[in-house]
Amino acid sequence: MNYGGKRDPKELDEFFWSMECYFNASRVTDDKMKVDMVVLYLCESVTLWWRRKHGDIEKDLYTIDTWEEFKRQLKRQLCPHNAKDIAMKKLRGLKHSGSIRDYIVEFTSLMLELPDMQEKDKLFYFMDGLQSWAYNELKRRNFRDIDKAIIVAEDLMEFRRESTVKKNSEGEQTMSEPEPKQDTPQPLNSKGKEIEGRYRREERKEIKCYLCDGSHLIRDCLKKNTFYAMVL
């Protein structure tokens, strides 16, 4: 819970919020006691700031005797004067590019730096940065409360994840077995291989004698002499 003076409005607000929770738990209501207690949790460079302030207080140059005044003085010292402008610029450029949860965290952090923004403006910027599928769903429900919109947006993240898992399980396709690889004729690189292949193709043909329809060549046919005699 210690604060070392980092120039980060979000971190400073978180420190103030933690201290207020501590005051409430300890039932501390006196402003001066709050200031006396909070300085015990300052460290590093912010401790030097408080030592200078405390020296001016002892010289009666001014007083810091309320919790709100202490917060105002510390913010003036550590937060840039254009902190709200910087936060507003980040808000305009904020887009839901990753998970909804990351988007919500970043959006909520920026809202801490813009406490004076109206609810309708918060809702507008939140909706405007969402991806189309989330924007359309929230638009359909016509929310007017930024807190409810954020809660439903977180539920949309779980719903989309479950839908994706269900779709994958129902639409899962099995890989078809590859077709047998067909042998492709190899190119002939020599005359000998070409002739060899031709004879092999001829051997695969059915042998038939055109004189007697026997399964032999005509030179082996027993009727070839009769045939030649008739022709001659």
Side-chain angles (χ1 to χ4, degrees), residues 79-93:
C79 294
H81 66 281
N82 59 341
K84 290 186 178 181
D85 294 337
I86 296 174
M88 196 65 195
K89 184 177 181 180
K90 291 181 180 180
L91 180 62
R92 292 193 185 101

Side-chain angles (χ1 to χ4, degrees), residues 170-223:
E170 292 180 350
E172 184 178 2
Q173 298 180 354
T174 57
M175 295 293 291
S176 59
E177 294 183 0
E179 297 181 356
K181 185 177 179 181
Q182 298 180 353
D183 294 333
T184 56
Q186 298 295 325
L188 300 177
N189 54 6
S190 67
K191 186 175 180 181
K193 288 187 176 181
E194 183 179 357
I195 295 174
E196 181 182 358
R198 184 181 64 189
Y199 280 125
R200 287 183 178 179
R201 288 194 296 272
E202 290 179 353
E203 289 176 0
R204 287 196 294 268
K205 294 181 181 179
E206 182 180 359
I207 299 175
K208 189 174 183 181
C209 177
Y210 63 84
L211 291 179
C212 64
D213 291 335
S215 57
H216 51 259
L217 297 175
I218 189 172
R219 66 172 180 263
D220 299 325
C221 183
L222 299 176
K223 296 181 180 182

Side-chain angles (χ1 to χ4, degrees), residues 35-36 39 47-60 62 64:
V35 174
D36 292 340
V39 297
T47 304
L48 300 177
W49 168 82
W50 175 247
R51 289 181 62 180
R52 292 195 302 270
K53 286 292 182 181
H54 190 264
D56 293 339
I57 292 172
E58 290 182 338
K59 296 175 183 178
D60 294 329
Y62 56 82
I64 302 180

Side-chain angles (χ1 to χ4, degrees), residues 22-215:
Y22 176 69
F23 296 151
N24 292 332
S26 303
R27 301 187 184 279
V28 177
T29 57
D30 182 70
D31 273 333
K32 188 177 184 308
M33 185 176 293
K34 289 181 180 180
V35 174
D36 292 340
M37 291 178 66
V38 74
V39 297
L40 299 176
Y41 296 94
L42 303 180
C43 61
E44 299 178 10
S45 61
V46 74
T47 304
L48 300 177
W49 168 82
W50 175 247
R51 289 181 62 180
R52 292 195 302 270
K53 286 292 182 181
H54 190 264
D56 293 339
I57 292 172
E58 290 182 338
K59 296 175 183 178
D60 294 329
L61 298 178
Y62 56 82
T63 59
I64 302 180
D65 53 4
T66 66
W67 173 236
E68 292 301 323
E69 179 63 19
F70 178 87
K71 291 195 295 183
R72 189 177 69 84
Q73 291 288 343
L74 190 55
K75 282 184 177 181
R76 177 186 294 180
Q77 174 67 25
L78 298 176
C79 294
H81 66 281
N82 59 341
K84 290 186 178 181
D85 294 337
I86 296 174
M88 196 65 195
K89 184 177 181 180
K90 291 181 180 180
L91 180 62
R92 292 193 185 101
L94 182 62
K95 296 298 179 184
H96 169 205
S97 57
S99 68
I100 291 186
R101 180 169 296 169
D102 292 339
Y103 175 75
I104 291 174
V105 169
E106 185 65 22
F107 178 84
T108 305
S109 299
L110 291 174
M111 288 301 100
L112 294 176
E113 302 177 36
L114 299 167
D116 299 331
M117 180 177 287
Q118 297 183 4
E119 288 294 311
K120 64 177 183 179
D121 294 331
K122 292 180 181 179
L123 182 60
F124 170 80
Y125 283 110
F126 179 76
M127 296 280 291
D128 187 60
L130 289 170
Q131 293 182 11
S132 58
W133 64 270
Y135 172 87
N136 292 334
E137 181 61 25
L138 293 182
K139 190 70 174 178
R140 183 181 66 83
R141 304 190 187 194
N142 194 27
F143 286 108
R144 299 184 181 275
D145 188 331
I146 181 63
D147 293 330
K148 291 182 179 179
I150 289 177
I151 292 173
V152 173
E154 290 179 334
D155 293 337
L156 285 178
M157 177 180 63
E158 298 298 329
F159 174 77
R160 185 173 176 84
R161 181 184 297 114
E162 292 175 359
S163 299
T164 303
V165 173
K166 183 178 180 181
K167 182 178 180 181
N168 289 340
S169 61
E170 292 180 350
E172 184 178 2
Q173 298 180 354
T174 57
M175 295 293 291
S176 59
E177 294 183 0
E179 297 181 356
K181 185 177 179 181
Q182 298 180 353
D183 294 333
T184 56
Q186 298 295 325
L188 300 177
N189 54 6
S190 67
K191 186 175 180 181
K193 288 187 176 181
E194 183 179 357
I195 295 174
E196 181 182 358
R198 184 181 64 189
Y199 280 125
R200 287 183 178 179
R201 288 194 296 272
E202 290 179 353
E203 289 176 0
R204 287 196 294 268
K205 294 181 181 179
E206 182 180 359
I207 299 175
K208 189 174 183 181
C209 177
Y210 63 84
L211 291 179
C212 64
D213 291 335
S215 57

Side-chain angles (χ1 to χ4, degrees), residues 4-19:
K6 184 177 180 180
R7 294 179 179 273
D8 185 347
K10 182 178 66 175
E11 186 169 327
L12 182 57
D13 284 336
E14 289 177 353
F15 171 70
F16 289 151
W17 182 80
S18 298
M19 291 304 305

